[in-house]
Amino acid sequence: MSINSSGWKPEMSQGGAPTAETFTGNRALMLEEPLLFEIGSIGKTGVDFAEVPEAASRLGGLTREAPIGLPGLSEPETVRHYTRLSRQNYAIDLGLFPLGSCTMKHNPRLNERMARLPGFADVHPLQPQETVQGAYAVINLVGEWLCKLTGMPAVAMSPKAGAHGELCGLLAIRAALEARGDAREVILVPESAHGTNPATAAFCGYRVEDIPATKDGRVNLEALKARLGPDVAGVMITNPNTCGLFERDMIAIGEAVHAAGGLVYCDGANFNAIVGRVRPGDLGIDAMHINLHKTFSTPHGGGGPGAGPVVFSDALAPFAPLPFVEKREDGSFHLVEEETAGEHHADTFGRMVAFHGQMGMFTRAAAYMLSHGADGLRQVSEDAVLNANYVLRQLEDVLDAPFAASGPCMHEALFSDEGFPEGFTTLDVAKGLIDEGFHPMTMYFPLVVHGAMLIEPTETEGKAALDQFIGALRHVAERAKAGDAALKAAPVHAPRRRLDETAAARKPVLTYRELVTAAAAE
Ligand SMILES: *Cc1c(COP(=O)(O)O)cnc(C)c1O
């Protein structure tokens, strides 16, 4: 690593030929961008502040003595800094985003327009209830649609993401079991579940036990039945699962778990694949979260925003969290903030969040639901599944598709690294895709498949975009299978090459001073 006046030099490729270096470090119209600390200088400012009037300090001995040392930039320098960085990002508005499990679909601008209406964007959670009746109406509308689409009688709108919804569902399961004096210790999680499932169960204090998958990538029903017993609080099943397959035994699983006194949590983050076609309530599910930011659009990633409403069966509805919006007989809405002993919502497990959820997300989801309509939502899942199957069948001759014989996939196509020559891995294919202009697919997940590549094209891609992506992935896969050594150097066209991701995670360099010291030591 070296720091020079133009910032970081692009690194040499490992093993391959050095890349064509430029004087500036810029490549074509992609500009290198140093850190703020390298381009800014202390004492410079982009704002014309008035002189600070002399005033007696009221900070006692706490006044800072040394300057804070933040770099200053002019306004154009600031604008360019962030614009240059933003150009090094990949985004759904730039191209197909094949990340499996994440449902990176186009976000209709109509939703943004609605969320920015001042009546929604500017409400405050502490406003008097009579002044936010419209916002409550939207929350109630989304809740009613979710109940209808899932065939479940109750919904909690407040959880703020999928994993938060899982926590909500498990807390309700725990409250229901405790209410009948039957606290249990174990949650069963199949191998094909999403990673957040065992994490949530462990976070709730449950012991997590694995249920193996069958060869065709689904829950092993016999193994599950054999493990059920009086210590099992419930199961968490991701359906469709992370192998991109529908769990066909869901009804039998639910019956067996209920007969053994447990409850059924379903991870519904993949609802995108079945919305309008399957009602989870018909499958014996007691609680399920829905990722509004996946199935019902909204830009997401990088940690937010999200919304993970949870639908409940009759068995769990009394234990759902506060607060919730209630429609009164006169048509007005009321936010129920507290339980009344012995009467209203007396069995609630409590409150998970300070307020009642993500208003911007609810508005976007409402706009998405109303603009698609029931028929449009059904079309969403049909097209999402069709697109994934197109990807699967177009590539199965060049990439191993471990469950291709299990029938059509749902909204995700899954491949493995089977057949790659010694020294070539899924990582090489992912890095090669970057050079082709695509964000890589989800890698090494699910764990049940070696070198997994999970691709979710979503319903918003047309055939031309799919064909271009398929062509790119085919080309990279062929290079890997042919043992093309140059692929080991990919990405060669990106602003950065292969990074030491382990060191970045284990020994993160979080301050500029550390960075300079580390660079000097090298
Ligand atoms: C995305 C996802 C989650 C977690 O949702 P977050 O909103 O990221 O917390 C859980 N399960 C599955 C199957 C998912 O795809």
Side-chain angles (χ1 to χ4, degrees), residues 6-10 22 24-27 29-34 84-85 88 494-496:
S6 66
W8 296 100
K9 277 283 182 200
T22 52
T24 49
N26 300 337
R27 294 180 190 202
L29 295 177
M30 288 296 281
L31 305 179
E32 266 301 291
E33 186 57 13
R84 286 174 183 179
L85 289 185
Q88 299 187 356
R496 290 293 175 278

Side-chain angles (χ1 to χ4, degrees), residues 64-132:
R64 170 184 285 280
E65 278 161 14
I68 194 163
L70 289 179
L73 282 81
S74 69
E75 183 173 315
E77 284 170 334
T78 311
V79 169
R80 284 179 179 164
H81 177 72
Y82 289 106
T83 306
R84 286 174 183 179
L85 289 185
S86 76
R87 283 176 24 123
Q88 299 187 356
N89 253 334
Y90 194 78
I92 189 66
D93 289 342
L94 289 171
L96 186 152
F97 213 125
L99 267 188
S101 206
C102 297
T103 313
M104 306 301 277
K105 60 161 105 170
H106 170 69
N107 293 287
R109 293 302 182 272
L110 174 70
N111 304 357
E112 295 308 307
R113 185 86 195 274
M114 295 303 108
R116 280 168 176 70
L117 289 174
F120 294 127
D122 297 343
V123 288
H124 191 281
L126 294 177
Q127 255 173 265
Q129 297 205 11
E130 63 275 16
T131 66
V132 285

Side-chain angles (χ1 to χ4, degrees), residues 125 156-161 164-165 167-168 171 306-308 321-324 335-337 349-358 362:
M157 296 296 290
S158 61
K160 301 220 173 189
H164 203 213
L167 180 63
C168 174
L171 289 174
L322 296 170
F324 63 93
L335 191 71
V336 179
E337 299 247 39
F349 74 71
R351 181 185 276 266
M352 296 186 81
V353 298
F355 300 116
H356 30 287
Q358 310 274 52
F362 299 149

Side-chain angles (χ1 to χ4, degrees), residues 119-120 123 129-140 333 359:
F120 294 127
V123 288
Q129 297 205 11
E130 63 275 16
T131 66
V132 285
Q133 287 291 307
Y136 290 162
V138 166
I139 297 175
N140 187 66
F333 295 98
M359 195 60 222

Side-chain angles (χ1 to χ4, degrees), residues 100-103 160-166 193-197 238-242 267-270 289 291 293-294 300 305-308 411-412 445 456:
S101 206
C102 297
T103 313
K160 301 220 173 189
H164 203 213
E166 292 172 29
H194 192 261
T196 47
N197 297 185
T238 304
N239 197 12
N241 71 26
T242 53
D267 180 331
N270 295 334
H289 75 265
N291 296 46
H293 46 294
K294 292 180 180 171
H300 65 281
H411 60 316
E412 300 176 306
F445 178 82
E456 179 179 3

